[in-house]
Amino acid sequence: FLSKKTKHHKPCKTLVLYFHDIIYNGKNTANATSAIVTAPPGYNLTILAGNFHLGNIAVLDDPITLDNNLHSKPVGQAQGLHMYDTKNTFTAWLGFSFVLNTTEYKGSINFIGADPTLVEERDISVVGGTGEFFMHRGIATIMTDTFEGEVYFRLRVDIKFYECW
């Protein structure tokens, strides 16, 4: 019987941020921070498609805050996309960057991965960064902190960097 030693890695840096997304619905032009840019046949660009939103792609430019208050001063923007890619459950594929520009945080953090939205805590990969986060890699545990229908959601993003340069 062979036992396998498990390595326990400690993060070299951690960070918790909140990502606020307000999807354009045809009526909220002033407040929207993301918009549907692709819809499946028979659907429009102001309402997410039925069938678990399969085929919708939304681009985002969402505020990032240090707490869960949408009206807190942003420390940066989440820029990228979420693509709904499954027809039998709520799942999205995410590709985005946190672009941070404050006295405390300067640089970008790049994320990519599947987001099974019905799972309470899910992980996506941190695949690099710039500035203070140059070549950082790790895992971001995301949790849906709140949502209001299909127009607003807030994610808590708990970032653990395991490779810091």
Side-chain angles (χ1 to χ4, degrees), residues 84-105:
Y84 296 94
D85 60 349
T86 304
K87 66 180 181 178
N88 55 10
T89 189
F90 286 106
T91 289
W93 183 88
L94 306 174
F96 61 92
S97 297
F98 280 1
V99 181
L100 306 170
N101 191 18
T102 67
T103 53
E104 199 172 350
Y105 307 107

Side-chain angles (χ1 to χ4, degrees), residues 27-76:
K27 302 173 189 167
N28 61 350
T29 304
N31 295 335
T33 61
S34 68
I36 302 166
V37 295
T38 302
Y43 291 92
N44 62 47
L45 300 179
T46 58
I47 300 170
L48 289 166
N51 200 23
F52 302 101
H53 313 319
L54 177 66
N56 281 129
I57 298 175
V59 296
L60 54 101
D61 185 21
D62 296 336
I64 303 165
T65 60
L66 294 174
D67 62 22
N68 65 1
N69 186 342
L70 172 62
H71 303 291
S72 293
K73 183 177 178 178
V75 294

Side-chain angles (χ1 to χ4, degrees), residues 127-142:
V127 296
T130 65
E132 179 183 334
F133 307 101
F134 176 73
M135 296 293 289
H136 281 33
R137 291 192 240 337
I139 296 293
T141 302
I142 56 177

Side-chain angles (χ1 to χ4, degrees), residues 118-133:
L118 297 179
V119 176
E120 187 175 341
E121 291 186 4
R122 54 251 188 224
D123 292 333
I124 59 173
S125 300
V126 176
V127 296
T130 65
E132 179 183 334
F133 307 101

